[in-house]
Amino acid sequence: MRKLLNTLYVTSPNTYLSLDGENIVILKDEAEALRVPLHNLEGIIAFGYTGASPALMGACAMRNIALSFMKTSGKFLGRVVGEVKGNVTLRKTQYRLSEDEGESHKIAKSFILGKIYNARWVVERATRDHGARLDVDKLKGVCQTLANALKLVEKSQDLEQLRGFEGEAAAQYFRVLDDLILQQKDDFYFNSRNKRPPLDNVNAMLSFVYTLLAHDTAAALETVGLDPYVGFLHRDRPGRISLALDLMEELRAVYADRFVISLINKREVNDGGFTRMENGAVIMDDDTRKAILKAWQSRKQDEIRHPFLQEKMEWGLVPYAQAMLLARFIRGDLDGYPAFMWK
Amino acid sequence: MEYQEEDFLLLSGIQHFVFCKRQWALIHIEQQWQENLRTVEGGILHEKTHDNTIKEKRGDLIISRSMRIFSRTLGITGTCDVVEFHKSRDGVTLYGREGRYKPVPVEYKRGKPKQGNADVLQLCAQAMCLEEMLLCDTTEGYLYYGDPKHRLKVLLDEEIREQVKAICQEMHELYDRRYTPKVKPTKSCKACSLSELCLPKLCKNPSALAYMKKTISEIEVDK
């Protein structure tokens, strides 16, 4: 597998990103605060109204470093995209498949099978690890429902049916997500998913981590020559990275949700790090964001064995491996898209 | 048959093609590229040889660097590291030069002479381009290897020419179909700069659908 390079997260808003030779130099109040060689980076994510020099943007585009700008809330603003990589034939095939409902359904089915399989695994795993503290019967019941959902999805005939089964399965899974939170229950609870704005600490964290994952997934798709904006399950919407969202489906539970829950259970975040607005919206403080980014970077370094490729790689490379497998399917090397199904 | 200019393929691709058809297709059809130590070193070596501002004439020898070449019959284009023009009675006249000259291509390679004849085929293709462009004969060329710093004379016989023709034809066939072939993974996959993009394991025909079916069916088992 490819080497996992670092992502640089810039969280202080009053900084300016500039280029000096082969380095990115971060200026704070016009003084050099940090200097990092570009060749160690595969992504730069700047939070807040951080400025960046055109020279740096150019250097990132040339070296295929994904440079993204987010609001401090984690909401995506924009990114610098270099020359379109890969060949036009691959993209045209992607577009052709995306316009074909039947073909789109086949691929989307893989994403959803992966999503439900992994969601089930997260619940199943919790019953094994923390059985003494959990309502195991309830969780096992959800596992069974999700196993049934997999069968329904396999037999689904079209995208609409697929979306229906997916919605039901997601509701089942989210129904027990709160059960998996075993520490700091007074401050961290999950009733339902809300995002505009997030109304509790857990949703604030989920939204933030999903944004990080979407950035990585979109960058991975671009690297292998696919267009992250043209999806199969998510239909096109201007400005939406539909394919990245498609590809993310199978990783949400097992990569993002589980990460968020473990931060809470290990007390790496606490209620003091969140601010509630008058309207109920929850905003994460800088320190919490920093703590999450640090943990996220270290999570990405953890080694796993890819269940389909049977190859060792870091968690951080999983979006890339899946993007590559998707490209290989579209190119005709594989008879289907093998979702990432974690065991 | 003659190829149109826009359909020309890169002569340097012959090397990739001989090494692995899939590698060639990934680079030339899918436009994938990944640098590794070998490719970077090769690039540095060629930067030097490709300085075409240097012109040399030594007695009966003219040395031309970075000469752009092509062949309409093979449908390829590329650049010669060095072409030497040796004064020779059975050579051809050159514009602005006295006497008759015979072109001799010299290709620079980093490292040691390799097993297999990829370098020879590339050199021969260059010679065939020169013959077509200059309407002359070439009978030999040189491969210069960085380790040891030494050049080897290569005779360009009919057999090797036939191989070049066959390879070029096959490259065009694949290119026209935009087809990336699967090939058997070999030991040389380890030395391939593209192995991370190629995923040689995918060449063994694994079924993604069977993998998914099996993984899902195992759920019941561990219940």
Side-chain angles (χ1 to χ4, degrees):
Chain A
M1 259 297 136
R2 205 174 65 123
K3 206 173 140 204
L4 178 66
L5 299 174
N6 291 317
T7 304
L8 176 69
Y9 300 96
V10 184
T11 53
S12 330
N14 300 318
T15 49
Y16 187 75
L17 314 182
S18 63
L19 178 73
D20 182 19
E22 294 289 308
N23 300 291
I24 173 175
V25 175
I26 298 176
L27 301 170
K28 192 156 193 183
D29 303 323
E30 287 173 36
E32 181 174 326
L34 183 75
R35 170 181 290 262
V36 187
L38 283 174
H39 72 85
N40 285 329
L41 297 178
E42 65 181 10
I44 300 168
I45 306 185
F47 294 91
Y49 296 102
T50 307
S53 75
L56 177 73
M57 293 186 198
C60 287
M62 217 156 70
R63 291 168 180 75
N64 210 23
I65 297 170
L67 172 59
S68 291
F69 298 93
M70 315 275 186
K71 285 191 180 179
T72 35
S73 65
K75 190 185 178 311
F76 172 81
L77 287 172
R79 51 204 189 100
V80 175
V81 180
E83 194 189 356
V84 170
K85 273 203 69 166
N87 87 79
V88 65
T89 318
L90 179 70
R91 279 177 189 245
K92 282 186 89 168
T93 314
Q94 179 193 350
Y95 298 155
R96 194 172 50 70
L97 293 177
S98 86
E99 279 172 11
D100 181 326
E101 283 265 332
E103 293 296 329
S104 291
H105 170 245
K106 275 189 219 158
I107 305 169
K109 203 160 89 173
S110 284
F111 295 139
I112 297 306
L113 286 173
K115 175 178 182 164
I116 300 176
Y117 183 93
N118 290 330
R120 190 194 161 282
W121 182 86
V122 168
V123 179
E124 173 80 29
R125 180 64 191 255
T127 66
R128 281 191 240 167
D129 290 356
H130 309 292
R133 294 193 54 190
L134 291 167
D135 182 348
V136 172
D137 286 343
K138 177 185 170 192
L139 296 188
K140 284 281 183 191
V142 170
C143 285
Q144 189 53 52
T145 314
L146 293 177
N148 292 339
L150 286 171
K151 287 192 189 123
L152 292 172
V153 166
E154 269 186 319
K155 287 189 195 117
S156 69
Q157 294 297 316
D158 52 41
L159 278 170
E160 203 191 317
Q161 242 183 22
L162 178 66
R163 290 198 184 97
F165 295 139
E166 190 252 330
E168 285 163 34
Q172 286 288 326
Y173 164 73
F174 277 135
R175 197 164 67 84
V176 292
L177 192 61
D178 187 57
D179 292 44
L180 309 189
I181 298 170
L182 295 168
Q183 304 282 359
Q184 317 187 72
K185 283 296 263 194
D186 291 342
D187 305 319
F188 292 90
Y189 43 81
F190 180 87
N191 293 323
S192 63
R193 180 85 183 103
N194 47 59
K195 42 199 162 182
R196 286 179 197 152
L199 299 172
D200 55 59
N201 296 352
V202 176
N203 271 295
M205 288 171 78
L206 284 177
S207 289
F208 183 63
V209 171
Y210 288 162
T211 314
L212 299 180
L213 188 54
H215 164 94
D216 289 353
T217 314
L221 287 165
E222 237 146 40
T223 308
V224 302
L226 288 168
D227 186 339
Y229 292 89
V230 176
F232 302 107
L233 177 67
H234 291 82
R235 307 315 291 176
D236 304 348
R237 185 189 293 168
R240 178 165 76 179
I241 42 174
S242 296
L243 186 60
L245 299 178
D246 282 1
L247 196 62
M248 236 178 90
E249 290 293 358
E250 60 203 60
L251 299 176
R252 282 180 197 266
V254 74
Y255 196 1
D257 301 355
R258 214 160 159 262
F259 168 74
V260 166
I261 290 167
S262 94
L263 285 178
I264 300 166
N265 285 345
K266 288 183 181 156
R267 296 178 182 276
E268 286 178 37
V269 288
N270 60 62
D271 191 44
F274 296 81
T275 308
R276 245 156 298 270
M277 308 292 285
E278 292 74 8
N279 62 354
V282 171
I283 294 171
M284 282 195 290
D285 298 352
D286 273 357
D287 288 343
T288 301
R289 198 170 299 116
K290 255 185 216 165
I292 294 177
L293 288 171
K294 204 168 160 227
W296 180 250
Q297 271 306 75
S298 113
R299 174 84 174 128
K300 277 174 128 178
Q301 310 289 337
D302 291 347
E303 267 207 352
I304 59 154
R305 177 172 281 275
H306 191 282
F308 179 70
L309 290 168
Q310 287 298 320
E311 213 174 297
K312 267 196 190 157
M313 67 180 69
E314 293 98 339
W315 258 114
L317 275 184
V318 169
Y320 176 74
Q322 293 308 118
M324 180 122 73
L325 288 169
L326 183 59
R328 294 279 139 227
F329 159 66
I330 292 174
R331 285 305 271 122
D333 284 348
L334 290 163
D335 60 350
Y337 163 69
F340 180 82
M341 297 168 104
W342 186 232
K343 285 200 228 192
Chain B
M1 137 151 201
E2 283 203 345
Y3 290 93
Q4 298 295 315
E5 255 179 53
E6 58 180 32
D7 296 326
F8 285 0
L9 297 173
L10 284 182
L11 191 155
S12 53
I14 290 175
Q15 278 234 308
H16 305 136
F17 197 80
V18 174
F19 177 73
C20 168
K21 291 177 189 180
R22 185 172 169 87
Q23 191 206 47
W24 173 82
L26 288 170
I27 297 170
H28 296 267
I29 300 179
E30 299 196 29
Q31 312 273 310
Q32 308 251 13
W33 183 248
Q34 187 129 41
E35 295 274 13
N36 68 9
L37 181 64
R38 288 190 190 85
T39 64
V40 171
E41 281 179 1
I44 292 168
L45 179 80
H46 277 86
E47 249 168 51
K48 282 186 198 149
T49 61
H50 279 185
D51 182 356
N52 60 7
T53 57
I54 307 168
K55 292 274 175 217
E56 274 182 72
K57 187 167 187 316
R58 292 188 217 155
D60 285 346
L61 183 67
I62 301 167
I63 299 172
S64 182
R65 288 171 206 275
S66 277
M67 182 181 270
R68 298 285 307 273
I69 51 168
F70 66 88
S71 157
R72 288 191 194 283
T73 50
L74 296 172
I76 55 175
T77 178
T79 307
C80 282
D81 290 337
V82 166
V83 181
E84 294 179 352
F85 291 93
H86 295 246
K87 211 163 202 172
S88 160
R89 262 194 299 178
D90 53 352
V92 289
T93 55
L94 296 176
Y95 177 76
R97 303 278 186 185
E98 296 267 319
R100 289 173 170 272
Y101 289 88
K102 223 179 149 168
V104 178
V106 186
E107 173 64 16
Y108 281 66
K109 295 289 171 201
R110 62 170 283 288
K112 296 188 175 74
K114 289 184 264 309
Q115 286 193 323
N117 59 354
D119 293 344
V120 172
L121 287 162
Q122 187 185 3
L123 186 70
C124 181
Q126 293 176 358
M128 290 166 82
C129 289
L130 289 168
E131 288 177 345
E132 201 174 305
M133 294 172 79
L134 298 166
L135 301 171
C136 67
D137 291 328
T138 57
T139 47
E140 61 193 42
Y142 289 93
L143 288 167
Y144 174 93
Y145 287 99
D147 178 22
K149 293 183 174 157
H150 188 64
R151 66 198 230 172
L152 297 172
K153 189 169 178 174
V154 179
L155 292 177
L156 306 169
D157 58 22
E158 204 46 45
E159 194 189 332
I160 195 87
R161 285 164 191 267
E162 285 305 319
Q163 279 186 50
V164 169
K165 282 183 207 162
I167 286 167
C168 289
Q169 200 181 347
E170 200 184 342
M171 286 189 339
H172 276 285
E173 279 163 13
L174 290 183
Y175 192 86
D176 289 346
R177 288 163 55 206
R178 303 287 188 269
Y179 178 69
T180 304
K182 296 192 200 182
V183 291
K184 266 195 192 141
T186 62
K187 266 187 266 168
S188 46
C189 288
K190 278 196 188 133
C192 172
S193 65
L194 285 186
S195 64
E196 295 154 358
L197 299 168
C198 161
L199 302 180
K201 278 184 181 147
L202 295 194
C203 291
K204 288 185 195 155
N205 267 317
S207 166
L209 298 177
Y211 148 79
M212 293 193 69
K213 234 188 171 76
K214 181 165 175 282
T215 310
I216 290 169
S217 71
E218 282 167 356
I219 288 181
E220 259 85 16
V221 179
D222 59 39
K223 251 195 78 184

